[in-house]
């Protein structure tokens, strides 16, 4: 099976930190999710940044629908591969 990487997009750092912690706790992922600041095109202001939570899922065992539901609670979404 191909490695799967889930990219969760959140509106701010606080939401991203909470989602990363929840993913780690709820889904018992092997590797800690990574936080990445994603500046919107042409924007330098930190307020105009989205935050990404990158979750490695080498065995493809995470439930995409459960991830969708989790990030929706934080006004975010999961990028479709």
């Amino acid at each position: 099976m191909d490695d799967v990487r889930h990219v969760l997009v959140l509106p701010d750092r606080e939401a991203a930190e909470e989602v990363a912690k929840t993913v780690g706790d709820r889904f018992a992922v092997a590797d800690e999710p990574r936080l990445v600041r994603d500046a919107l095109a042409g924007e330098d202001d930190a307020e105009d940044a989205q935050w990404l939570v990158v979750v490695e899922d080498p065995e493809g065992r995470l439930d995409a629908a459960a991830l969708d539901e989790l990030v929706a609670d934080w006004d975010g979404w999961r990028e479709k591969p």
Side-chain angles (χ1 to χ4, degrees):
M1 168 168 266
D2 291 335
D3 285 356
V4 176
R5 173 179 290 144
H6 300 280
V7 178
L8 312 177
V9 183
L10 286 303
D12 58 50
R13 183 178 186 142
E14 181 179 335
E17 289 172 343
E18 286 297 321
V19 166
K21 181 181 182 323
T22 301
V23 166
D25 293 346
R26 184 181 299 176
F27 297 98
V29 294
D31 295 324
E32 186 172 326
R34 289 184 296 125
L35 294 180
V36 178
R37 182 180 178 272
D38 184 32
L40 299 177
E43 298 294 335
D44 293 327
D45 187 351
E47 297 299 316
D48 293 324
Q50 295 174 330
W51 284 81
L52 309 178
V53 176
V54 180
V55 183
E56 301 294 338
D57 185 16
E59 297 172 7
R61 64 178 186 79
L62 296 181
D63 181 356
L67 291 172
D68 288 340
E69 186 176 308
L70 172 65
V71 295
D73 289 343
W74 292 92
D75 295 326
W77 66 91
R78 181 179 56 86
E79 287 289 315
K80 307 292 187 225

